[in-house]
Amino acid sequence: MTVEFLEKELSFLRNKLNTHNLYCTLSSVEDIRIFMGQHVFAVWDFMSLLKALQNHLTTTTLPWIPVSNPSTARFINEIVLGEESDLNELGETKSHFEMYLDAMKQIDANTFKVEHFIAHIQNGSTVKEACDAIRLTSETFKFINFTFDIINTAEPHKIASAFTFGREDVIPDMFFQIINQSKTSDNSYSKLRYYLKRHIELDGDEHGPLSLKMIEELCGNNPKKWEDVLTVAKDALQHRIMLWDGIEHLIYSKKMIDI
């Protein structure tokens, strides 16, 4: 099996995701607020996927020993640097999750659920307990639960598959379009604009090919690992589509109430 074969096998689900009705539903800043209120949990659990890869593919225990693949370790460490300790538009050091929260607050999106979720985690709750405590929507909970099911396999090729194939790259363009059309001052959504620009910069031409290279190195000539990667990739895309279904339903329900 090859990366080219994987991409061909995933093309149907990727097209289904990229043409999802959610994108037609997003038409106002209020829609973005609802979207961000759920999507922020995907921004959060992405970091756990990334840190799981860092644990498996770099040395995070003592005493230190050299890793088997320094180029993959460098790739993961570079992403961790950018995602966990980037600079915001004011030059302050913040994780992308924190930058996303700041952007939510600037556009008056509700951060109550996610902040209480994090508080429960900090106080020792499991992910499921935290989700239950804040009554997280079903589709968003299933998305997070899938992420941690994959992490708990402790199999780097499966975690790398969810990391590489399970994340979207369509939303930034949609957000820019809506923000640009909104009747507000240029600085009203400065934090969201900056976050999206950083997202595009860091996920540009380099990270995609390196992620695929990581998959190749982790699978090697092992047919079972390639099959695992394909299965996880399909499941990850399906859960992303279901997450989009749930957000679309929330936005549509709000529009119906406002009629």
Side-chain angles (χ1 to χ4, degrees):
M1 197 178 294
T2 63
V3 165
E4 289 75 20
F5 178 83
L6 287 178
E7 292 188 317
K8 182 179 179 181
E9 288 294 299
L10 297 174
S11 60
F12 173 78
L13 287 172
R14 279 179 161 174
N15 183 65
K16 188 175 180 180
L17 178 63
N18 291 339
T19 58
H20 196 284
N21 286 336
L22 171 64
Y23 305 125
C24 298
T25 308
L26 286 169
S27 59
S28 69
V29 173
E30 176 57 29
D31 298 337
I32 291 181
R33 293 186 183 114
I34 296 171
F35 175 89
M36 294 182 78
Q38 299 299 315
H39 180 247
V40 65
F41 290 94
V43 176
W44 172 79
D45 82 343
F46 171 80
M47 283 304 303
S48 291
L49 269 180
L50 176 57
K51 298 299 280 188
L53 283 175
Q54 188 179 38
N55 287 339
H56 286 290
L57 302 179
T58 74
T59 301
T60 57
T61 56
L62 297 174
W64 179 88
I65 56 174
V67 295
S68 59
N69 194 310
S71 62
T72 299
R74 179 184 176 89
F75 168 56
I76 294 300
N77 284 332
E78 283 180 351
I79 296 179
V80 170
L81 174 64
E83 293 287 340
E84 193 172 36
S85 52
D86 202 4
L87 298 178
N88 68 7
E89 80 283 6
L90 300 176
E92 301 167 333
T93 304
K94 289 196 174 185
S95 68
H96 278 204
F97 172 76
E98 293 166 306
M99 289 164 62
Y100 198 90
L101 276 183
D102 288 344
M104 289 178 69
K105 292 173 181 176
Q106 190 182 47
I107 72 166
D108 293 325
N110 192 330
T111 60
F112 177 84
K113 278 185 178 291
V114 69
E115 288 177 330
H116 278 69
F117 174 83
I118 294 298
H120 281 289
I121 296 292
Q122 290 171 331
N123 289 329
S125 296
T126 65
V127 172
K128 184 181 185 306
E129 289 170 344
C131 289
D132 289 342
I134 64 168
R135 297 182 180 179
L136 193 61
T137 59
S138 174
E139 291 84 359
T140 307
F141 168 72
K142 288 176 181 177
F143 183 87
I144 292 176
N145 193 56
F146 169 77
T147 296
F148 281 89
D149 281 346
I150 296 301
I151 290 172
N152 290 334
T153 67
E155 297 183 76
H157 66 290
K158 292 182 180 180
I159 301 171
S161 180
F163 176 88
T164 300
F165 299 109
R167 300 291 156 166
E168 89 291 344
D169 56 6
V170 177
I171 280 295
D173 287 341
M174 181 66 64
F175 273 21
F176 275 129
Q177 182 178 353
I178 295 170
I179 291 170
N180 289 338
Q181 290 174 351
S182 63
K183 297 179 180 179
T184 60
S185 64
D186 291 341
N187 293 324
S188 294
Y189 306 135
S190 58
K191 293 184 181 297
L192 181 54
R193 288 178 189 274
Y194 183 83
Y195 174 88
L196 294 172
K197 287 178 180 178
R198 288 297 290 156
H199 179 81
I200 291 170
E201 288 171 2
L202 294 175
D203 291 347
D205 295 336
E206 184 177 356
H207 284 182
L210 285 175
S211 293
L212 296 176
K213 181 68 174 175
M214 174 175 61
I215 294 290
E216 290 179 330
E217 291 170 348
L218 291 174
C219 292
N221 296 319
N222 188 321
K224 177 63 167 60
K225 286 187 176 181
W226 281 104
E227 291 173 8
D228 289 345
V229 164
L230 180 57
T231 298
V232 170
K234 287 181 176 179
D235 288 345
L237 288 169
Q238 290 281 18
H239 278 83
R240 174 68 65 171
I241 291 167
M242 287 191 291
L243 176 63
W244 269 202
D245 289 342
I247 297 174
E248 180 192 8
H249 176 73
L250 288 175
I251 293 173
Y252 180 76
S253 298
K254 179 64 166 59
K255 290 180 186 292
M256 293 302 294
I257 292 173
D258 292 342
I259 291 177

